[in-house]
Amino acid sequence: MEPGDELGPARAFLIGVAGGTGSGKTTVAERLADLAGTGEVALLKLDMYYRDLNHLPLDERAAVNYDHPEAFDWPLLMRHVDALAAGTPVDVPVYDFQEFVRSDERQEVLPSRIVVVEGILVLAEPDLRARFDLSVYVDTDADVRFIRRLQRDITQRARTPESVISQYLTTVRPMHLQFVEPSKRYADVIIPHGGLNEPALAVLRARVRELVS
């Protein structure tokens, strides 16, 4: 039996892409979309699956540890992964990172031949990890990741440098060491130097083509 034969024609090929904050996970996940052309890859981002904390006041929502596994709505994410794998579209929640709540918007994601699930902890959650046909870890130096995180949170999420630094030291770094970095051992493919590593991306693309052909 060749790799992937057991999937059957109706089931999508599932790829998990993990790595630390600012590692280039999203770049890798999005660039996988050129494997089979536009519309052939469905992308789910773990960042959209934070638990809805709308019942809490803003100051309490802001104090939550958003880098801990308990911050995420894993049952909803896995239901969506299963639905896409079976060929059913899903309505993905849209998260408001300034208010720390789910917005009223939803984004429809259509089933595709390949489903990519991207996020810091997607290889750390055993039930989700078991669903993947291929697991990828994007490995990038800590200083590079921090600079990218700082730039992103200031420009895209209206954070102050002081708040970004405080969050990084109190939750992001400790959770990376406790949960994210150890999940690297579950990866089938490790991409060093982030999402702009062209030789590594070429190897990954070739591997995926081989598995889904």
Side-chain angles (χ1 to χ4, degrees):
M1 181 180 292
E2 293 296 323
D5 285 353
E6 70 279 6
L7 300 178
R11 184 186 181 280
F13 188 85
L14 305 180
I15 303 174
V17 180
T21 181
S23 62
K25 301 179 302 300
T26 301
T27 299
V28 170
E30 291 176 347
R31 294 190 66 181
L32 285 173
D34 67 6
L35 285 169
T38 303
E40 292 300 322
V41 175
L43 176 60
L44 295 178
K45 298 184 178 182
L46 180 61
D47 279 357
M48 294 296 105
Y49 288 87
Y50 283 115
R51 292 189 294 116
D52 191 1
L53 301 178
N54 193 45
H55 60 286
L56 297 177
L58 178 59
D59 58 341
E60 291 186 27
R61 297 198 301 267
V64 168
N65 181 352
Y66 289 98
D67 293 271
H68 192 281
E70 292 182 355
F72 297 95
D73 189 344
W74 297 106
L76 178 61
L77 174 57
M78 285 185 272
R79 286 199 300 271
H80 284 181
V81 170
D82 291 342
L84 288 173
T88 303
V90 298
D91 289 326
V92 174
V94 176
Y95 196 78
D96 185 332
F97 291 96
Q98 295 185 34
E99 296 295 324
F100 305 101
V101 293
R102 287 181 187 171
S103 74
D104 294 330
E105 300 177 49
R106 295 293 183 270
Q107 179 181 0
E108 184 182 40
V109 175
L110 300 176
S112 299
R113 183 171 175 236
I114 300 170
V115 176
V116 178
V117 186
E118 172 264 312
I120 58 172
L121 293 168
V122 299
L123 296 186
E125 171 56 44
D127 290 340
L128 179 61
R129 184 174 69 238
R131 287 163 162 78
F132 297 143
D133 302 298
L134 182 68
S135 297
V136 179
Y137 188 93
V138 184
D139 202 10
T140 305
D141 290 342
D143 57 344
V144 175
R145 291 190 291 103
F146 170 71
I147 292 170
R148 289 175 178 170
R149 170 93 177 210
L150 183 67
Q151 292 173 328
R152 182 202 68 188
D153 283 5
I154 291 173
T155 59
Q156 298 179 21
R157 300 182 179 178
R159 308 280 174 80
T160 65
E162 293 77 14
S163 70
V164 177
I165 293 170
S166 175
Q167 184 183 39
Y168 185 85
L169 293 176
T170 57
T171 63
V172 178
R173 185 177 183 276
M175 296 303 97
H176 177 87
L177 296 175
Q178 184 175 352
F179 296 108
V180 183
E181 183 73 20
S183 75
K184 180 165 60 175
R185 68 180 181 270
Y186 300 113
D188 302 305
V189 178
I190 297 175
I191 298 181
H193 312 307
L196 300 179
N197 186 333
E198 294 296 338
L201 284 170
V203 171
L204 177 61
R205 287 194 292 265
R207 179 61 174 157
V208 174
R209 288 193 188 98
E210 173 189 343
L211 290 170
V212 300
S213 61

